[in-house]
Amino acid sequence: MEISEFRRVMFGLAREVDASICDVLVPDVVPNFIACNLRASEFSIYVLCNEQSEWAFVSDYDPTNQKLNFVDNEVISSILSNSFSIRVASVEELGSPFVARDKMLESDIKYWKPQTMGEALFNWWD
């Protein structure tokens, strides 16, 4: 997904959930995803979107730490689905055993040996 499109979606989402956009973290080379921190009085969540337009949520995000704590948020998932036709991967899906997909390089898979779909879809591979 293009960064401009990601920002458009995030600003629309922020309006719908009455949240502020605190950070939009755009990768240089790694990781393979954009992250946006949405904050409201009742929640703070990072929305991730990778190069293949896969979406997920994490509770916190540190660009120097490769461990992601995926979370579900039914309200935000529903808004992304209904307003933007975006499907967000669930914690269950992201924690499931790794299965190779199209556009995943065999050389990366052999070298990095991802254990879960979350590790493979949202990564720091160079």
Side-chain angles (χ1 to χ4, degrees), residues 4-25:
S4 60
E5 178 66 10
F6 178 80
R7 288 180 192 267
R8 184 189 69 75
V9 170
M10 289 299 95
F11 281 104
L13 176 61
R15 275 192 308 273
E16 289 204 37
V17 297
D18 195 28
S20 298
I21 294 176
C22 297
D23 291 312
V24 176
L25 303 164

Side-chain angles (χ1 to χ4, degrees), residues 6 33-35 46-50 54-56 58 68 70 122:
F6 178 80
F33 56 87
I34 307 165
Y46 280 82
V47 181
L48 309 181
C49 178
N50 75 7
E54 302 274 355
W55 292 72
V58 291
L68 297 173
F70 295 107
F122 299 92

Side-chain angles (χ1 to χ4, degrees), residues 30-91:
V30 293
N32 74 332
F33 56 87
I34 307 165
C36 178
N37 180 222
L38 289 178
R39 284 192 194 154
S41 58
E42 59 279 350
F43 70 87
S44 176
I45 196 167
Y46 280 82
V47 181
L48 309 181
C49 178
N50 75 7
E51 296 164 340
Q52 289 77 38
S53 294
E54 302 274 355
W55 292 72
F57 303 131
V58 291
S59 56
D60 197 16
Y61 175 61
D62 174 358
T64 65
N65 183 353
Q66 296 181 15
K67 176 70 175 141
L68 297 173
N69 181 29
F70 295 107
V71 296
D72 291 323
N73 186 305
E74 294 303 319
V75 171
I76 296 175
S77 290
S78 178
I79 292 168
L80 285 170
S81 177
N82 294 332
S83 298
F84 303 98
S85 299
I86 291 170
R87 184 185 169 288
V88 179
S90 70
V91 170

